[in-house]
Amino acid sequence: MGSNVAGAPEGVEMTSGDEATREEESIAELIHPRLRDADEAFFRTLVENTSEGILTIDAESTILFANPAIERILGYEPAELVGSSKLEIIPDRLKAVHERRLQQYIETGERNIDWDGVELPARHEDGHEVPVTISLREHEFRGERLFTGIFRDVSREKAQEERLEAQNERLERFASVLSHDLRNPLNVAQGYTELIAAENEDGDGDERVEELAESLDRMEELIEDMLELAQQEGGLGTTRRLSVEEVVRETWGWVRTDDADLTVEAPGSIDADRSRLASLLENLFRNAVEHGSPSHRSQARDDAVEHGSTSNRSQAHDNAVEHGGSDVTVRVGGLEDGEGFYVEDTGRGIPEDVRTAVFEQGYTTSAEGTGIGLSIVEEVADAHDWAVRVGESEEGGARFEFRV
């Protein structure tokens, strides 16, 4: 079934198994001339020093070979395993299944598992289970059917998965608290505040009631932002081909845009999670509408250019980003090379020296801002593996480019 490797040690036969696409090739061509006359010690060194565990069994599940890495992964010395059954390293609850599936394959040739990296639990010498991925190959040696498995310990990956699952569960509980346990008493407080305001329209205390209402509204905004942030941490849902223009126009309708205008210039289609893309756009639109009035752009640029101190740069950023209005135009279009899309506005823009900082969670220079919106934008881009760049529109406003 196989072919002998030119220059390999006598008695060693290397094959490509039942895939057999290389059987018609000269395997010698795959070995550099300097190694054509390599002796058995060379090939033994390769096998003994690989980081993956290697086991070879026959059709009766007897272990014929085990390399040293098996001890690091499963705790057994190779000499302990050779001559024993492969069932030695299989958890008791799965032994019957393994025996049945191997016998079924030998009789029918039908694979009932993925041979290219199937994840299974293996039994460690001390009794605990080790998650491993196993890549299997069938081959012949001196006319006997053999099966070789390459084992890789994935304990760290599994532990990370479990940590992420636990984190997602905590986020779901946190989102539930925000959505119900905090929102409900807040709604009650807002209702009573409206009643008090209505009863005191012509009396004293209007200013205090107004301050109370503003504080409650501020709490509501914080809850909404934190809820959205918690939902973003959950990862991507289903991705599919989407018309960016369709999602843009739908999302624009959700945002309080006042007198702002929207222009869509052939942004094309992308593969994305629709709800996460909508969240990205919504936060960019809100940022443009709430912080993008161009009325003081010239003054902001003067501040940014004329003053050299850190405090003055921060003040310039306040003028350029945080003090907004709604007389702004937002444009969404495709990048010139067709590899993504942009969202830009005609507002005041973002000074170059703070364009990286605006994505930091909690970064804001406004007493009314949460500093969450643009961090959500970056998280959505990262989840899709998009590169995001902050620049300047032709009018001097903010421009966000996304390469997909």
Side-chain angles (χ1 to χ4, degrees), residues 184-194 212 216:
N184 289 341
L186 175 62
N187 289 340
V188 172
Q190 288 175 318
Y192 277 115
T193 301
E194 291 174 2
L212 175 60
L216 293 174

Side-chain angles (χ1 to χ4, degrees), residues 235-250:
L236 287 181
T238 302
T239 60
R240 59 188 177 89
R241 199 69 179 171
L242 299 173
S243 164
V244 176
E245 179 171 0
E246 180 182 323
V247 182
V248 164
R249 294 195 182 280
E250 178 182 347

Side-chain angles (χ1 to χ4, degrees), residues 37-52:
D37 60 350
D39 60 13
E40 182 179 354
F42 174 80
F43 293 96
R44 185 179 297 277
T45 299
L46 289 181
V47 173
E48 290 180 348
N49 286 278
T50 181
S51 60
E52 284 80 17

Side-chain angles (χ1 to χ4, degrees), residues 74-268:
L74 298 178
Y76 299 92
E77 292 185 8
E80 292 181 66
L81 292 177
V82 172
S84 66
S85 170
K86 74 163 187 176
L87 298 179
E88 186 75 20
I89 65 168
I90 295 174
D92 290 342
R93 71 182 190 283
L94 300 175
K95 288 181 178 179
V97 175
H98 276 261
E99 285 186 294
R100 185 171 62 252
R101 287 182 173 178
L102 177 59
Q103 189 60 36
Q104 179 182 340
Y105 172 74
I106 290 173
E107 293 175 355
T108 67
E110 295 181 4
R111 297 182 182 181
N112 40 48
I113 60 172
D114 180 7
W115 283 30
D116 295 313
V118 61
E119 185 176 309
L120 294 169
R123 181 183 177 278
H124 193 276
E125 190 271 340
D126 65 11
H128 81 274
E129 293 186 6
V130 179
V132 296
T133 58
I134 307 174
S135 297
L136 296 169
R137 288 296 181 270
E138 179 185 356
H139 52 101
E140 282 190 4
F141 177 66
R142 296 176 181 172
E144 184 177 8
R145 295 177 74 177
L146 302 179
F147 303 87
T148 293
I150 298 178
F151 291 66
R152 187 170 71 86
D153 184 352
V154 292
S155 298
R156 290 184 179 179
E157 290 88 339
K158 293 295 292 183
Q160 178 65 10
E161 288 178 11
E162 292 172 0
R163 285 193 293 269
L164 288 174
E165 288 177 3
Q167 175 181 311
N168 287 339
E169 289 177 2
R170 290 195 298 271
L171 286 170
E172 288 178 4
R173 292 195 296 270
F174 177 60
S176 178
V177 169
L178 288 175
S179 182
H180 302 288
D181 297 2
L182 291 181
R183 195 194 301 271
N184 289 341
L186 175 62
N187 289 340
V188 172
Q190 288 175 318
Y192 277 115
T193 301
E194 291 174 2
L195 289 175
I196 294 173
E199 293 173 356
N200 292 276
E201 287 184 354
D202 300 323
D204 297 331
D206 286 352
E207 183 176 339
R208 286 176 293 176
V209 173
E210 183 177 341
E211 290 179 357
L212 175 60
E214 289 177 355
S215 296
L216 293 174
D217 288 343
R218 171 64 174 157
M219 290 176 62
E220 184 174 25
E221 290 178 6
L222 285 169
I223 289 174
E224 291 292 341
D225 284 346
M226 292 302 296
L227 180 59
E228 183 174 6
L229 183 61
Q231 291 170 339
Q232 299 304 325
E233 294 284 353
L236 287 181
T238 302
T239 60
R240 59 188 177 89
R241 199 69 179 171
L242 299 173
S243 164
V244 176
E245 179 171 0
E246 180 182 323
V247 182
V248 164
R249 294 195 182 280
E250 178 182 347
T251 306
W252 184 258
W254 304 341
V255 180
R256 180 178 176 180
T257 55
D258 296 332
D259 296 326
D261 295 319
L262 172 68
T263 301
V264 184
E265 301 175 346

